[in-house]
């Protein structure tokens, strides 16, 4: 018999997507679409953005999902994500959105990161290793919580492409010639029909979530 700690709960009916980031919202809706879950966004419900006071991606995903579930009375699905650059000690990491706010926009934030790498003499791809992380949390109004984390490794290159969002243009995942900014949604976060691993951090976390909480 399974203990309470290993029993996963299935997501059914209506869910709030607890994000105010349009790029993430689009990806999260696309990921949920095949499962017949009706999704409404935090923005559509006029939900406030909670303070992200956690020190990890998982903690912040939980804060966002819990806040939306408490206020809406619906199961809520949140993502906390970011880009970790090895030569910068893992920055911007959980501060990825903040860096873009501070510099004004994502092109400037990518410029700041690229400049910091150049100042440190990190020119070659091997010196510019980076990974994206996505922590996904689903919280039910009764407090039940499920969390999953996915990562994708690659390196920082010159920004290319206008697809995707955020830091996509200058991140090239290992084993690919294109940056995330040059990839279609299907290439970046499509779920392969043959059961193999998806590419993006968010799609990888979602595959784990789907295995436990959907279908
Ligand atoms: P919410 O908290 O409302 O969801 P946010 O933009 O504040 O929105 P985060 O705190 O999780 O979200 O910050 C994540 C940052 O990392 C944000 O600036 C994103 O644009 C960026 N990011 C996350 N996933 C990304 C991806 O797949 N491609 C490019 N950039 C990404």
């Amino acid at each position: 018999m399974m203990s309470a700690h290993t029993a996963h709960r299935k997501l059914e009916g209506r869910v709030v997507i607890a994000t105010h980031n349009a790029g993430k919202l689009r990806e999260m809706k696309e990921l949920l679409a095949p499962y017949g879950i009706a999704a409404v966004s935090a923005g559509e419900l006029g939900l406030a953005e909670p303070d992200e006071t956690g020190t990890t991606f998982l903690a912040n995903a939980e804060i966002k999902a819990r806040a939306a579930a408490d206020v809406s009375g619906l199961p809520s699905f949140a993502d906390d994500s970011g880009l970790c650059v090895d030569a910068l000690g893992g920055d911007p990491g959980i501060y990825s959105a903040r860096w873009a706010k501070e510099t004004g926009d994502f092109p400037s934030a990518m410029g700041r990161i690229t400049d910091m790498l150049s100042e440190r003499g990190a020119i070659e791809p091997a010196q510019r290793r980076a990974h994206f992380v996505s922590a996904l949390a689903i919280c039910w109004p009764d407090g039940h919580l499920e969390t999953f984390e996915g990562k994708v490794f690659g390196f920082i290159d010159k920004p290319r492409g206008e697809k995707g969002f955020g830091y996509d243009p200058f991140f090239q995942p290992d084993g690919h010639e294109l940056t995330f900014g040059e990839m279609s949604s299907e290439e970046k976060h499509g779920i392969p029909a043959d059961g193999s691993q998806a590419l993006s951090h968010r799609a990888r976390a979602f595959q784990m979530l789907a295995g436990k909480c959907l279908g």
Side-chain angles (χ1 to χ4, degrees), residues 19-21 24 52 64 81 165 167-168 188 201-202:
T19 181
H20 289 81
N21 178 315
K24 279 197 207 175
E52 295 180 26
K64 289 186 261 193
S81 45
F165 67 96
Y167 295 96
D168 279 339
K188 182 186 167 195
H201 48 312
R202 185 164 298 103

Side-chain angles (χ1 to χ4, degrees), residues 1 3 7 22 38 46 48 62 71 85 121 152 164 172 183 186 188-189 199:
M1 198 178 137
S3 79
E62 177 179 344
V71 177
V85 181
V152 58
Q172 185 169 320
M183 290 185 184
E186 192 54 32
K188 182 186 167 195
H189 60 267
L199 181 56

Side-chain angles (χ1 to χ4, degrees), residues 43-62:
E44 287 168 282
L45 293 181
L47 303 186
E49 288 187 63
D51 285 337
E52 295 180 26
T53 52
T55 55
T56 62
F57 292 108
L58 283 166
N60 283 331
E62 177 179 344

Side-chain angles (χ1 to χ4, degrees), residues 132-182:
F132 270 117
V133 180
S134 164
L136 296 179
I138 307 177
C139 187
W140 279 259
D142 69 358
H144 181 83
L145 179 78
E146 301 271 357
T147 58
F148 304 89
E149 191 170 75
K151 293 181 185 177
V152 58
F153 292 83
F155 67 95
I156 302 299
D157 205 349
K158 286 204 177 64
R160 303 194 305 274
E162 289 173 357
K163 296 176 185 154
F165 67 96
Y167 295 96
D168 279 339
F170 80 164
F171 180 80
Q172 185 169 320
D174 291 339
H176 294 262
E177 297 296 322
L178 302 180
T179 67
F180 271 173
E182 296 174 305

Side-chain angles (χ1 to χ4, degrees), residues 34-156:
Y35 294 92
I37 307 267
V40 56
S41 73
E44 287 168 282
L45 293 181
L47 303 186
E49 288 187 63
D51 285 337
E52 295 180 26
T53 52
T55 55
T56 62
F57 292 108
L58 283 166
N60 283 331
E62 177 179 344
I63 287 171
K64 289 186 261 193
R66 237 179 237 296
D70 284 350
V71 177
S72 69
L74 291 169
S76 297
F77 177 33
D79 164 289
D80 196 69
S81 45
L83 178 74
C84 304
V85 181
D86 292 8
L88 305 183
D91 278 342
I94 62 168
Y95 305 110
S96 295
R98 207 167 299 174
W99 278 35
K101 215 173 184 179
E102 281 168 15
T103 54
D105 57 19
F106 283 97
S108 312
M110 289 189 283
R112 174 179 174 190
I113 291 169
T114 307
D115 289 348
M116 289 173 79
L117 287 170
S118 302
E119 282 160 19
R120 285 161 176 72
I123 307 299
E124 299 301 320
Q127 300 168 308
R128 293 180 162 230
R129 301 291 304 157
H131 59 276
F132 270 117
V133 180
S134 164
L136 296 179
I138 307 177
C139 187
W140 279 259
D142 69 358
H144 181 83
L145 179 78
E146 301 271 357
T147 58
F148 304 89
E149 191 170 75
K151 293 181 185 177
V152 58
F153 292 83
F155 67 95
I156 302 299

